[in-house]
Every structure is written in structure tokens, then in C-alpha cells.
Amino acid sequence: LVALTGAPKILRLFGRGRIILARDFVRPEHARLREAFNFLSTPSGEYPPGFRGVVVLDIDRATSSCGFSIPFFEFSRERTTLREWAEDKGRDGTLAYRQLKNSYSIDGLPSIAQQEAAAGLKPVGISIKGGYISATEYGTNPLRHLYVRLQVACALPGAFLANTTQEGLGARDGLVFAAGALFAFCLMRAART
């Protein structure tokens, strides 16, 4: 967090985050969170279709630093783009969009879209289309889950390195580099899973 007006300051919060999905936000145990975010809801208590959830951070440590290089910013208005886009797509459309384009984070970890779609089940099938990796089926088979994690771990650097090969390195150099890096990355990712 940074101070954009007043005295300069940067606040760093360290801890473990957990996601409260929009569908779980209405549970009684989250009443205090709903109060904190009531400015987002309509008078009837509904949240906009673009609302995915809230990240709750259990803070272990808080530090601050000077913030002398942070410029001043003045708030002029909220953006309406997300609300308009999500209202146009509707709830089912936004879920489908996130399922296609946000199933995995940039480093290949399962994302909030999987939690929304599968209610806790792990992905056991994936699709790779147009540079996006999305989960296509869910289940409880741990071996299929490991297989999918390996596919995702290998597909991400492979797509990146294929683009690098086309844009600068010689084809042979790029392929040798891509094969070595891809193999090393897959081994590291498999070991972490």
C-alpha cells in the first residue's frame, strides 16, 4: 500500500492469503466482510457480475518504508468498464470467460476460475487454445491431476520460447535452448507438485 496524498509512506503487509469467492460471500461467517464491501452491492444486496471475491490476508508482519519516490495522484472517478463488460456478458458469460482465459496463473498455478467452476475438484483435463490454457474437466484422480500439472508446466515455457525463437534467435539455437529449458522447467515443476 502506498500513500498517494499527504505524507509519503509505503506499507508492506506479509502473511497468508485466502480467497472468499463471490458465491461464498453470502455465508453468515462473512458478515463483517460484506459490511466492509457493501459499497459494491446494489440496494437489494447483489454484487455486480464482475465481482469474483475477496482476498483475506492473515497478517504475520507489517513494515513500512519512506515512499519518497511515490508521486502524488488525485482520484477523479471510478472506472465503469468492468461493470459494463460484465453486465453485457452476464453471470454465465463472465464465468465462461474466466474459465477459458484465467484457469491458470502466469506461472501455471490453478486460479480462482477453477475454484469458481469446480467447487474444489482438481482439473483432470486441459485445453490449450490461442495461447490460453484452460481446465476442461474435473475429478479426484491424483495421477490425472499430476499429468495435467505437467502439461501446464511444459506448455507455458514452450509457448514463450516458441515466440522467442521466431523473434530473434536462430531457429537451431532457439530449439536447442527451448528443449533444454523446457526439460529443466518441467522437472522443477513436477518436483514442486
Side-chain angles (χ1 to χ4, degrees), residues 1 9-14 59-66:
L1 304 172
K9 187 63 72 178
I10 298 174
L11 175 64
R12 293 182 175 94
L13 302 174
F14 301 87
I59 299 171
D60 299 331
R61 180 177 172 219
T63 64
S64 63
S65 60
C66 67

Side-chain angles (χ1 to χ4, degrees), residues 16-94:
R16 189 153 194 95
R18 55 192 160 89
I19 298 170
I20 310 296
L21 294 175
R23 69 168 181 240
D24 300 328
F25 208 57
V26 297
R27 293 184 180 170
E29 64 265 29
H30 302 308
R32 287 183 53 208
L33 279 175
R34 282 194 307 279
E35 288 175 24
F37 287 91
N38 67 357
F39 66 93
L40 291 173
S41 65
T42 63
S44 65
E46 289 237 348
Y47 289 89
F51 179 71
R52 297 175 73 173
V54 174
V55 176
V56 176
L57 179 63
D58 297 319
I59 299 171
D60 299 331
R61 180 177 172 219
T63 64
S64 63
S65 60
C66 67
F68 291 164
S69 67
I70 304 298
F72 287 102
F73 286 97
E74 188 174 309
F75 177 79
S76 62
R77 69 184 187 283
E78 294 281 351
R79 292 185 188 268
T80 59
T81 309
L82 175 62
R83 182 181 295 266
E84 292 164 359
W85 174 86
E87 285 172 353
D88 185 51
K89 283 210 168 281
R91 289 195 189 279
D92 291 341
T94 56

Side-chain angles (χ1 to χ4, degrees), residues 101-120:
K101 299 200 174 189
N102 303 131
S103 283
Y104 291 91
S105 68
I106 194 167
D107 56 355
L109 298 174
S111 75
I112 190 173
Q114 289 188 20
Q115 292 179 38
E116 289 175 321

Side-chain angles (χ1 to χ4, degrees), residues 90-153:
R91 289 195 189 279
D92 291 341
T94 56
L95 285 173
Y97 176 87
R98 290 193 294 253
Q99 182 65 27
L100 172 64
K101 299 200 174 189
N102 303 131
S103 283
Y104 291 91
S105 68
I106 194 167
D107 56 355
L109 298 174
S111 75
I112 190 173
Q114 289 188 20
Q115 292 179 38
E116 289 175 321
L121 294 175
K122 295 178 178 178
V124 295
I126 63 167
S127 171
I128 303 172
K129 293 180 192 167
Y132 294 105
I133 301 172
S134 59
T136 57
E137 61 180 283
Y138 295 86
T140 56
N141 184 327
L143 290 177
R144 288 276 291 145
H145 175 65
L146 175 62
Y147 174 69
V148 168
R149 289 292 301 268
L150 281 171
Q151 282 183 292
V152 172

